[in-house]
Every structure is written in C-alpha cells, then in structure tokens.
Amino acid sequence: MKSKFLEIFNKKNKSKIICLTAYSKNIAQIIDKHCDIVLVGDSLGSVLYNYKSTKSVTLDIMIEHSKSVRMGIKKSLMVVDMPYNTYRNSSEALKNARAIILKTKCDAVKLEGGKKIYQIIKILIKNKIPVMGHLGILPQSDKSFKVKGKKIIERKNLLKDAKTLEDLGVFSIVLECVESSLAKEITKTINIPTIGIGASVNCDGQVLVTDDLIGLNPIKVRFVKRFANITKQINSAIIKYKNEVKSKKFPKKIHSY
Ligand code: KIV
C-alpha cells in the first residue's frame, strides 16, 4: 500500500480523517494543509453550475476542475468522482478511470454503489486503480434523498454492501446520510475507514462540501454546519472596492505605472 493510503488506513480507530471538497486550485491550496483527503466531488454540478442533479456532470468538466485542484495540492490524497454514465460497464469504467488518473494525476477515483457495481470496482482494482466507495444516499441514482438505514432490509443491504466493497479492496467508503447506529455498526464491522456526511460522529472521518461550510453556497440541510460567512466578507470587500473606485481613492499612484 502506498504511504498516503497507509496513513489514512492507520487513522482508523485512532484519529479522525479530515476530508473536504475542492473544485479549483485556490480553495485546494487552502484546505490541503488541513485535510487528509481532498475530493473533487461531482457536487460541483449543483454548487457551481446550478444543475438539478449530478447526472448532468460530464467527464470533461470533472477533468478540467481536477486539473486545477491538482495544482493546489501538495500533501493530501486527491480523489476524483467518476461522474454519472461514465462507469456503466467494466470497459467504459476502466477507460474513463484511466483517463481521469492520467489527465488529472489524482490518487484515486470514487464511485457510487455497492453490489450493483461489483464487477466494475473489481476490474478497476485489478488494474491498480485505487477506489473510494460511496454508500447511503447515491445522488447519481437515487430518486429521493431520504436518510438510509431506517428499515431493517436497508440496514442489512448497506452492511452487506460495505463488506463487499471492503472485500473488493476499496481503501475507504463515504457514508452519505446513513442513520447513526448503522454508521456505527458499519464502521465497527469493516476494517477500512468510513468517511461520513450526514452519518454522525460514529464514522472514522468526516467530509463536507467546502462551499457549504464556508457559507459560499446558501444550502440549508441538517448535516451542514456553517463555520464561516464568506459571502458576507466578499460582499463587504466589493462594496469597499466600488466606493474607492467611485471616489477615486483607488487606484493610487502606487497602483499605477
Ligand atoms: O460530490 C461530492 O461532493 C460528494 C461528497 C458530498 C461526499 O460525493
């Protein structure tokens, strides 16, 4: 196992794994210092492009944003989401995952699903492509975004899926909106780290969309905590700029040639 993966694996049961999303170099270089994993999530579809779902995100969009993110990362493990319809069968998945790794120089790809994509994950791992799993709410395919694990059958299937992904060799699993006690059970049962989003404190790590936590994206969902209000700060900087341009206070001689 390569050292960055090993470092993350070794944090299980010891210290929390910190993961955040980035869609560009500027954010990536700020969060890189504090993260174990930086994820170029296909959530960029709704956060940046106002798409109704992540289904509209293309491979090209993911690759361009990931190339920008790569420039901002020095130490974290970089994971890129494989977008919708880019892993419908093994050969498509392998071709696209290879393109993502080659063009973006990321460390791993993330795919949504468990048993249903067994063969696909198997072929990627056989070809030495590191994979992060994603269970619980699957934004690329779920019709409703209700918390997972309230029904017994759902709990059994999710636990089975988590074990299947572990057996396949994924290096960690994102649990999205999974009921707390089930997140705890999965985390206790499998030997690889779980990274929660809306899945309680019981996971080995936590991920959030950076734009949500800094208040750049005005989303209101239960699992997001806003740690800053960057929109307010940008707004006041722009007002100052506007006023100084209008009053001819800016640019001064030192800003001119
Ligand atoms: O697309 C994304 O940002 C994600 C995280 C929310 C886990 O998959």
Side-chain angles (χ1 to χ4, degrees):
M1 213 186 257
K2 279 206 241 157
S3 62
K4 271 193 213 172
F5 291 98
L6 197 61
E7 263 174 44
I8 287 162
F9 179 76
N10 285 341
K11 289 201 166 181
K12 188 167 175 94
N13 301 322
K14 289 196 192 88
S15 68
K16 289 278 184 186
I17 296 160
I18 308 298
C19 179
L20 282 172
T21 62
Y23 312 133
S24 69
K25 183 193 81 175
N26 293 349
I27 291 289
Q29 63 194 8
I30 298 171
I31 67 173
D32 180 48
K33 297 183 190 85
H34 312 286
C35 283
D36 301 296
I37 303 172
V38 171
L39 169 69
V40 187
D42 62 356
S43 52
L44 61 77
S46 49
V47 177
L48 300 185
Y49 292 93
N50 259 16
Y51 295 157
K52 283 209 179 80
S53 87
T54 54
K55 282 187 181 159
S56 307
V57 177
T58 64
L59 192 66
D60 285 348
I61 292 179
M62 289 306 294
I63 288 175
E64 286 314 304
H65 281 279
S66 301
K67 282 181 354 199
S68 173
V69 168
R70 177 75 274 170
M71 291 188 268
I73 297 185
K74 284 198 182 127
K75 65 163 254 303
S76 307
L77 189 94
M78 178 178 162
V79 180
V80 174
D81 261 342
M82 289 196 70
Y84 180 68
N85 272 354
T86 63
Y87 53 100
R88 286 168 293 188
N89 55 60
S90 303
S91 58
E92 180 181 66
L94 187 57
K95 180 173 145 265
N96 290 328
R98 277 182 170 149
I100 292 174
I101 302 248
L102 193 76
K103 291 181 183 171
T104 73
K105 310 274 182 285
C106 68
D107 301 293
V109 291
K110 175 162 80 62
L111 282 75
E112 294 183 7
K115 201 174 76 191
K116 278 193 193 147
I117 55 166
Y118 180 91
Q119 286 303 336
I120 287 157
I121 295 185
K122 191 172 168 187
I123 204 89
L124 295 186
I125 291 178
K126 195 174 154 211
N127 282 276
K128 301 198 170 11
I129 295 177
V131 175
M132 179 182 228
H134 185 143
L135 296 173
I137 284 184
L138 307 178
Q140 290 178 7
S141 51
D142 282 353
K143 288 197 178 72
S144 84
F145 284 11
K146 281 194 198 132
V147 64
K148 300 282 170 159
K150 292 210 159 169
K151 297 183 195 129
I152 291 175
I153 181 73
E154 219 172 55
R155 295 177 76 90
K156 275 190 184 161
N157 287 339
L158 268 172
L159 191 56
K160 246 200 229 166
D161 274 345
K163 284 188 193 152
T164 302
L165 290 183
E166 179 184 21
D167 292 344
L168 278 168
V170 310
F171 76 91
S172 69
I173 304 175
V174 166
L175 297 179
E176 180 163 352
C177 294
V178 170
E179 190 274 330
S180 308
S181 67
L182 177 61
K184 188 173 189 173
E185 196 179 345
I186 294 174
T187 302
K188 257 175 68 182
T189 306
I190 61 174
N191 295 303
I192 52 167
T194 57
I195 315 285
I197 174 160
S200 81
V201 73
N202 298 323
C203 297
D204 298 303
Q206 173 71 39
V207 57
L208 275 185
V209 168
T210 302
D211 297 50
D212 296 347
L213 87 90
I214 63 175
L216 196 55
N217 186 38
I219 192 178
K220 275 199 183 116
V221 287
R222 181 173 168 143
F223 63 75
V224 170
K225 179 173 173 182
R226 192 175 284 175
F227 289 84
N229 192 342
I230 287 299
T231 301
K232 206 171 156 190
Q233 288 188 35
I234 294 175
N235 206 41
S236 75
I238 303 304
I239 289 171
K240 276 187 202 153
Y241 164 76
K242 186 172 89 178
N243 290 342
E244 290 199 13
V245 170
K246 286 198 168 184
S247 64
K248 299 184 183 171
K249 213 170 150 195
F250 175 83
K252 285 202 168 77
K253 250 191 181 157
I254 51 159
H255 306 115
S256 309
Y257 298 95

